[in-house]
Amino acid sequence: MKERTFQYIKTNGIRLRTVVEGKGPLVVLLHGFPQCWYLWRHQIDPLVEAGFQVAVPDQRGYGGSDKPEPIEAYNIIELTNDVVGLADALGHEQFIVVGHDWGAPVAWHTALLYPKRTRAVVGMSVPYAR
């Protein structure tokens, strides 16, 4: 397996273990349940080669990221704030967000709640439901 560059990024009161690679417009890739950043291992290099900076966090509660105790810490508002805080920490005003499985609703809500920040949104493997 290729060696990846991990950062522990402070966002929204927690730390997310995040693969960060490349330079250019930001693409945030969000995994589903019960996965982690590793789900996206085959997509990172092609996106970097296409000229993007790629951020692939273990979402809160998963992998090497913080795992807050209260159930309320996992509501959709907190999860979307994690994504926006990640973009802020990496110095990006706008970003593309891609979500798979449970990551898809997080991606959609990020676009709904932060439309001026989100350049594009992709939801994979589950249908959109408002």
Side-chain angles (χ1 to χ4, degrees), residues 1-125:
M1 183 169 82
K2 181 175 180 176
E3 188 77 21
R4 293 294 175 190
T5 305
F6 288 94
Q7 295 181 26
Y8 283 85
I9 298 177
K10 290 183 181 179
T11 172
N12 194 27
I14 63 166
R15 287 182 335 141
L16 297 179
R17 181 179 72 168
T18 307
V19 172
V20 179
E21 297 190 4
K23 297 208 182 299
L26 180 63
V27 177
V28 179
L29 303 174
L30 301 173
H31 64 80
F33 174 82
Q35 298 150 331
C36 64
W37 75 270
Y38 188 74
L39 167 74
W40 298 105
R41 67 195 177 280
H42 298 299
Q43 287 73 37
I44 295 169
D45 292 335
L47 287 167
V48 168
E49 290 166 12
F52 292 97
Q53 181 175 42
V54 180
V56 191
D58 287 342
Q59 291 197 69
R60 65 169 56 210
Y62 294 86
S65 291
D66 286 350
K67 299 163 183 63
E69 282 287 322
I71 292 170
E72 298 79 18
Y74 296 88
N75 69 55
I76 200 69
I77 303 299
E78 296 298 337
L79 295 168
T80 60
N81 289 340
D82 291 350
V83 175
V84 172
L86 189 67
D88 289 342
L90 294 172
H92 293 272
E93 180 62 28
Q94 291 192 310
F95 53 89
I96 297 164
V97 60
V98 180
H100 172 266
D101 187 67
W102 171 243
V106 177
W108 296 325
H109 281 85
T110 300
L112 286 168
L113 295 171
Y114 296 95
K116 292 182 179 176
R117 304 277 318 262
T118 309
R119 293 180 57 204
V121 61
V122 177
M124 301 173 61
S125 79

